[in-house]
Amino acid sequence: RLVSKDGRCNIEFGNVEQSRFVFLIDIWTTILDLRWRYKMTIFISAFLGSWFLFGLLWYGVAYIHKDLPEFNPSINHTPCVDNINGLTSAFLFSLETQVTIGYGFRCVTEQCATAIFLLIFQSILGVIINSFMCGAILAKISRSKNRAKTITFSRNAVISKRGGKLCLLIRVANLRKSLLIGSHIYGKLLKTTITPEGETIILDQVNIEFVVDAGNENLFFISPLTIYHIIDKNSPFFHMAAETILQQDFELVVFLDGTVEATSATCQVRTSYIPEEVLWGYRFAPIVSKTKEGKYRVDFQNFSK
C-alpha cells in the first residue's frame, strides 16, 4: 500500500538530480524533520563543538599573550583572562561564558582588546545557538503531527445500507476531549488505470466524497463519528460487488484535516484501506451509551467491531 494504517507514506525518491545541499537552504524544516536520535546528536554536538572551538580560541589568546604557566609570567603580569592555566581551564572558561554560569574564578581583564571582542562574539553566537536549537526541540515536541496520533480510524471499512442507500462507512474517533476545529474529511481512491491511448497510469487518483449526517465541514468531533460515502452512479465503487471486490486492485486513502484547539496549528490524519479491509454487508457495533448518572460513555472496545 502507498499509505500505511498509521498514515506514513511508503514512497522512495530515486535519481533526484538536485544536490542534497538544497535541503540545507531550508535548514529549519530539515532539522524539524529529522528523527529524534539525529536531532539530539546535532543538539549535543552543536553545544560541545562551540564550547571546544571557543576553548581553543581562549587558549590561543592566553598563549599569544604569554599568560600560561610555561612562560613563567612575572608577578606584575596581568593576563587577558585570569586563571587560565591550560586547554582544560580554557574549555571551562568557554563553557562558563557561553552558558553564563559565572563562577567568578575566571574572568576577562581589561588587558586585551582581543579577549573582550572574543567574549562579545561568543556571547552573541551562544544566544543564537541556544535560540535555534532549543526552538527546534520545542517545535519538534509541539508539532501538530503528534496530535494526529490521538485521532484513530477503524481497522476496516464496511459497505451496507444507510438511509436506504448503499454506502461505504468508516469510523473515526478523537481520543482527546479537546476538539479539532474546522475539521474536513475527504478521500482518494488510488488505482492503476489504462487510458484510451494505452498509457498505464500508476496511482491514478479519484476523489471520494465523505459525509456525516451533519455534513463534512466543521464537525463537532467530541465523540466517534461514522463517515460514509454514498455508492451511486458517480462512485468508483458502483460497478463492484460483494463477490468481486476482493479481486479489485485499489487503495482507499482517507484524510482528516483540522485545527488543533490548544495550539491553533493545522494537522492532517490519514489512513488507508485495501480490498481485504473492506467488509461487504456489515455494520459497525454501537459504542455510545448513556449511563445512569446522565453521562455519555464511549466503549472503545467495540470501536472496530
Side-chain angles (χ1 to χ4, degrees), residues 88-115:
T88 302
S89 56
F91 174 80
L92 292 175
F93 178 71
S94 173
L95 171 63
E96 295 170 19
T97 300
Q98 191 161 324
V99 299
T100 64
I101 293 178
Y103 290 123
F105 181 68
R106 301 178 182 88
C107 61
V108 176
T109 65
E110 302 176 357
Q111 187 67 22
C112 301
T114 303

mmCIF file of all heavy atoms in Angstrom, residues 88-115:
data_model
loop_
_atom_site.group_PDB
_atom_site.id
_atom_site.type_symbol
_atom_site.label_atom_id
_atom_site.label_comp_id
_atom_site.label_asym_id
_atom_site.label_seq_id
_atom_site.Cartn_x
_atom_site.Cartn_y
_atom_site.Cartn_z
ATOM 1 N N THR A 88 42.349 22.751 29.351
ATOM 2 C CA THR A 88 41.178 22.362 30.139
ATOM 3 C C THR A 88 40.513 23.579 30.782
ATOM 4 O O THR A 88 39.291 23.746 30.733
ATOM 5 C CB THR A 88 41.572 21.352 31.226
ATOM 6 O OG1 THR A 88 42.165 20.205 30.616
ATOM 7 C CG2 THR A 88 40.351 20.922 32.030
ATOM 8 N N SER A 89 41.317 24.431 31.399
ATOM 9 C CA SER A 89 40.747 25.625 32.020
ATOM 10 C C SER A 89 40.189 26.577 30.965
ATOM 11 O O SER A 89 39.199 27.271 31.213
ATOM 12 C CB SER A 89 41.808 26.326 32.872
ATOM 13 O OG SER A 89 42.954 26.644 32.099
ATOM 14 N N ALA A 90 40.802 26.608 29.764
ATOM 15 C CA ALA A 90 40.256 27.431 28.680
ATOM 16 C C ALA A 90 38.886 26.908 28.234
ATOM 17 O O ALA A 90 37.965 27.685 27.967
ATOM 18 C CB ALA A 90 41.222 27.457 27.506
ATOM 19 N N PHE A 91 38.744 25.565 28.176
ATOM 20 C CA PHE A 91 37.449 24.972 27.825
ATOM 21 C C PHE A 91 36.403 25.296 28.893
ATOM 22 O O PHE A 91 35.250 25.621 28.576
ATOM 23 C CB PHE A 91 37.597 23.456 27.671
ATOM 24 C CG PHE A 91 36.297 22.737 27.460
ATOM 25 C CD1 PHE A 91 35.689 22.705 26.211
ATOM 26 C CD2 PHE A 91 35.660 22.096 28.517
ATOM 27 C CE1 PHE A 91 34.487 22.047 26.017
ATOM 28 C CE2 PHE A 91 34.459 21.439 28.333
ATOM 29 C CZ PHE A 91 33.875 21.413 27.079
ATOM 30 N N LEU A 92 36.783 25.210 30.165
ATOM 31 C CA LEU A 92 35.851 25.525 31.250
ATOM 32 C C LEU A 92 35.419 26.988 31.210
ATOM 33 O O LEU A 92 34.253 27.307 31.449
ATOM 34 C CB LEU A 92 36.492 25.191 32.595
ATOM 35 C CG LEU A 92 36.719 23.705 32.890
ATOM 36 C CD1 LEU A 92 37.462 23.527 34.201
ATOM 37 C CD2 LEU A 92 35.394 22.958 32.918
ATOM 38 N N PHE A 93 36.369 27.882 30.880
ATOM 39 C CA PHE A 93 36.000 29.297 30.775
ATOM 40 C C PHE A 93 35.058 29.529 29.595
ATOM 41 O O PHE A 93 34.114 30.326 29.679
ATOM 42 C CB PHE A 93 37.258 30.154 30.614
ATOM 43 C CG PHE A 93 36.963 31.618 30.448
ATOM 44 C CD1 PHE A 93 36.504 32.370 31.511
ATOM 45 C CD2 PHE A 93 37.126 32.244 29.213
ATOM 46 C CE1 PHE A 93 36.208 33.718 31.363
ATOM 47 C CE2 PHE A 93 36.837 33.580 29.055
ATOM 48 C CZ PHE A 93 36.381 34.327 30.132
ATOM 49 N N SER A 94 35.293 28.812 28.483
ATOM 50 C CA SER A 94 34.391 28.912 27.329
ATOM 51 C C SER A 94 32.993 28.442 27.699
ATOM 52 O O SER A 94 31.991 29.072 27.334
ATOM 53 C CB SER A 94 34.943 28.073 26.170
ATOM 54 O OG SER A 94 34.021 28.026 25.104
ATOM 55 N N LEU A 95 32.909 27.344 28.449
ATOM 56 C CA LEU A 95 31.617 26.826 28.892
ATOM 57 C C LEU A 95 30.905 27.822 29.801
ATOM 58 O O LEU A 95 29.715 28.107 29.633
ATOM 59 C CB LEU A 95 31.836 25.495 29.612
ATOM 60 C CG LEU A 95 30.640 24.880 30.343
ATOM 61 C CD1 LEU A 95 29.531 24.552 29.357
ATOM 62 C CD2 LEU A 95 31.070 23.636 31.099
ATOM 63 N N GLU A 96 31.625 28.379 30.752
ATOM 64 C CA GLU A 96 31.037 29.337 31.683
ATOM 65 C C GLU A 96 30.559 30.591 30.951
ATOM 66 O O GLU A 96 29.511 31.167 31.290
ATOM 67 C CB GLU A 96 32.065 29.726 32.744
ATOM 68 C CG GLU A 96 32.478 28.576 33.653
ATOM 69 C CD GLU A 96 33.681 28.939 34.520
ATOM 70 O OE1 GLU A 96 33.928 30.156 34.671
ATOM 71 O OE2 GLU A 96 34.353 28.033 35.018
ATOM 72 N N THR A 97 31.326 31.023 29.944
ATOM 73 C CA THR A 97 30.951 32.233 29.200
ATOM 74 C C THR A 97 29.682 32.024 28.397
ATOM 75 O O THR A 97 28.758 32.849 28.418
ATOM 76 C CB THR A 97 32.103 32.652 28.271
ATOM 77 O OG1 THR A 97 33.270 32.927 29.053
ATOM 78 C CG2 THR A 97 31.725 33.879 27.465
ATOM 79 N N GLN A 98 29.609 30.906 27.680
ATOM 80 C CA GLN A 98 28.503 30.708 26.741
ATOM 81 C C GLN A 98 27.194 30.413 27.451
ATOM 82 O O GLN A 98 26.133 30.836 26.986
ATOM 83 C CB GLN A 98 28.850 29.587 25.759
ATOM 84 C CG GLN A 98 27.880 29.489 24.591
ATOM 85 C CD GLN A 98 28.482 28.724 23.444
ATOM 86 O OE1 GLN A 98 29.676 28.805 23.169
ATOM 87 N NE2 GLN A 98 27.659 27.960 22.752
ATOM 88 N N VAL A 99 27.264 29.688 28.556
ATOM 89 C CA VAL A 99 26.020 29.367 29.262
ATOM 90 C C VAL A 99 25.803 30.304 30.447
ATOM 91 O O VAL A 99 24.883 30.080 31.247
ATOM 92 C CB VAL A 99 26.015 27.895 29.735
ATOM 93 C CG1 VAL A 99 26.121 26.956 28.565
ATOM 94 C CG2 VAL A 99 27.139 27.634 30.725
ATOM 95 N N THR A 100 26.631 31.330 30.562
ATOM 96 C CA THR A 100 26.506 32.397 31.581
ATOM 97 C C THR A 100 26.412 31.820 32.987
ATOM 98 O O THR A 100 25.561 32.241 33.781
ATOM 99 C CB THR A 100 25.302 33.308 31.288
ATOM 100 O OG1 THR A 100 24.095 32.544 31.374
ATOM 101 C CG2 THR A 100 25.404 33.928 29.912
ATOM 102 N N ILE A 101 27.280 30.859 33.297
ATOM 103 C CA ILE A 101 27.302 30.322 34.661
ATOM 104 C C ILE A 101 27.924 31.336 35.609
ATOM 105 O O ILE A 101 27.342 31.710 36.613
ATOM 106 C CB ILE A 101 28.066 28.984 34.701
ATOM 107 C CG1 ILE A 101 27.294 27.922 33.914
ATOM 108 C CG2 ILE A 101 28.267 28.523 36.141
ATOM 109 C CD1 ILE A 101 27.976 26.588 33.851
ATOM 110 N N GLY A 102 29.145 31.793 35.266
ATOM 111 C CA GLY A 102 29.774 32.834 36.069
ATOM 112 C C GLY A 102 30.152 32.396 37.464
ATOM 113 O O GLY A 102 29.600 32.892 38.448
ATOM 114 N N TYR A 103 31.105 31.466 37.585
ATOM 115 C CA TYR A 103 31.560 31.039 38.906
ATOM 116 C C TYR A 103 32.388 32.122 39.616
ATOM 117 O O TYR A 103 32.558 32.090 40.822
ATOM 118 C CB TYR A 103 32.399 29.763 38.801
ATOM 119 C CG TYR A 103 31.585 28.546 38.428
ATOM 120 C CD1 TYR A 103 31.893 27.798 37.304
ATOM 121 C CD2 TYR A 103 30.501 28.152 39.213
ATOM 122 C CE1 TYR A 103 31.151 26.683 36.969
ATOM 123 C CE2 TYR A 103 29.750 27.038 38.882
ATOM 124 C CZ TYR A 103 30.074 26.305 37.755
ATOM 125 O OH TYR A 103 29.336 25.210 37.426
ATOM 126 N N GLY A 104 32.930 33.063 38.841
ATOM 127 C CA GLY A 104 33.682 34.154 39.438
ATOM 128 C C GLY A 104 35.151 33.867 39.636
ATOM 129 O O GLY A 104 35.884 34.702 40.164
ATOM 130 N N PHE A 105 35.625 32.681 39.207
ATOM 131 C CA PHE A 105 37.036 32.328 39.376
ATOM 132 C C PHE A 105 37.859 32.762 38.169
ATOM 133 O O PHE A 105 38.954 33.284 38.297
ATOM 134 C CB PHE A 105 37.163 30.824 39.604
ATOM 135 C CG PHE A 105 38.573 30.353 39.820
ATOM 136 C CD1 PHE A 105 39.271 30.713 40.967
ATOM 137 C CD2 PHE A 105 39.205 29.554 38.882
ATOM 138 C CE1 PHE A 105 40.567 30.279 41.178
ATOM 139 C CE2 PHE A 105 40.507 29.128 39.084
ATOM 140 C CZ PHE A 105 41.188 29.479 40.231
ATOM 141 N N ARG A 106 37.302 32.586 36.969
ATOM 142 C CA ARG A 106 37.968 33.007 35.736
ATOM 143 C C ARG A 106 37.183 34.173 35.145
ATOM 144 O O ARG A 106 35.962 34.105 35.030
ATOM 145 C CB ARG A 106 38.048 31.868 34.718
ATOM 146 C CG ARG A 106 38.800 30.648 35.226
ATOM 147 C CD ARG A 106 38.814 29.532 34.195
ATOM 148 N NE ARG A 106 39.485 28.352 34.719
ATOM 149 C CZ ARG A 106 38.875 27.386 35.412
ATOM 150 N NH1 ARG A 106 37.575 27.469 35.639
ATOM 151 N NH2 ARG A 106 39.555 26.367 35.878
ATOM 152 N N CYS A 107 37.895 35.210 34.749
ATOM 153 C CA CYS A 107 37.212 36.372 34.192
ATOM 154 C C CYS A 107 38.158 37.125 33.259
ATOM 155 O O CYS A 107 39.382 37.020 33.358
ATOM 156 C CB CYS A 107 36.708 37.297 35.297
ATOM 157 S SG CYS A 107 38.028 37.956 36.329
ATOM 158 N N VAL A 108 37.550 37.881 32.329
ATOM 159 C CA VAL A 108 38.310 38.673 31.368
ATOM 160 C C VAL A 108 38.771 39.957 32.044
ATOM 161 O O VAL A 108 38.003 40.592 32.788
ATOM 162 C CB VAL A 108 37.449 38.992 30.131
ATOM 163 C CG1 VAL A 108 38.208 39.898 29.163
ATOM 164 C CG2 VAL A 108 37.039 37.712 29.426
ATOM 165 N N THR A 109 39.984 40.333 31.773
ATOM 166 C CA THR A 109 40.515 41.595 32.296
ATOM 167 C C THR A 109 40.493 42.657 31.196
ATOM 168 O O THR A 109 40.111 42.382 30.056
ATOM 169 C CB THR A 109 41.950 41.401 32.796
ATOM 170 O OG1 THR A 109 42.804 41.076 31.689
ATOM 171 C CG2 THR A 109 42.018 40.282 33.831
ATOM 172 N N GLU A 110 40.911 43.873 31.534
ATOM 173 C CA GLU A 110 40.962 44.970 30.561
ATOM 174 C C GLU A 110 42.256 44.985 29.767
ATOM 175 O O GLU A 110 42.477 45.901 28.979
ATOM 176 C CB GLU A 110 40.803 46.308 31.298
ATOM 177 C CG GLU A 110 39.513 46.421 32.097
ATOM 178 C CD GLU A 110 39.450 47.710 32.886
ATOM 179 O OE1 GLU A 110 40.447 48.473 32.845
ATOM 180 O OE2 GLU A 110 38.422 47.963 33.542
ATOM 181 N N GLN A 111 43.078 43.950 29.927
ATOM 182 C CA GLN A 111 44.405 43.961 29.332
ATOM 183 C C GLN A 111 44.379 43.776 27.820
ATOM 184 O O GLN A 111 45.183 44.364 27.113
ATOM 185 C CB GLN A 111 45.260 42.855 29.968
ATOM 186 C CG GLN A 111 46.719 42.852 29.560
ATOM 187 C CD GLN A 111 47.467 44.079 30.089
ATOM 188 O OE1 GLN A 111 47.032 44.695 31.064
ATOM 189 N NE2 GLN A 111 48.558 44.455 29.440
ATOM 190 N N CYS A 112 43.436 42.958 27.297
ATOM 191 C CA CYS A 112 43.463 42.584 25.876
ATOM 192 C C CYS A 112 42.141 42.949 25.200
ATOM 193 O O CYS A 112 41.073 42.472 25.618
ATOM 194 C CB CYS A 112 43.711 41.086 25.714
ATOM 195 S SG CYS A 112 45.246 40.519 26.446
ATOM 196 N N ALA A 113 42.234 43.753 24.144
ATOM 197 C CA ALA A 113 41.040 44.061 23.352
ATOM 198 C C ALA A 113 40.548 42.820 22.614
ATOM 199 O O ALA A 113 39.341 42.645 22.391
ATOM 200 C CB ALA A 113 41.341 45.182 22.370
ATOM 201 N N THR A 114 41.488 41.936 22.238
ATOM 202 C CA THR A 114 41.112 40.705 21.541
ATOM 203 C C THR A 114 40.220 39.843 22.421
ATOM 204 O O THR A 114 39.231 39.263 21.950
ATOM 205 C CB THR A 114 42.368 39.917 21.147
ATOM 206 O OG1 THR A 114 43.216 40.741 20.349
ATOM 207 C CG2 THR A 114 42.000 38.669 20.366
ATOM 208 N N ALA A 115 40.563 39.746 23.703
ATOM 209 C CA ALA A 115 39.769 38.932 24.617
ATOM 210 C C ALA A 115 38.374 39.529 24.809
ATOM 211 O O ALA A 115 37.382 38.789 24.878
ATOM 212 C CB ALA A 115 40.482 38.824 25.961
#
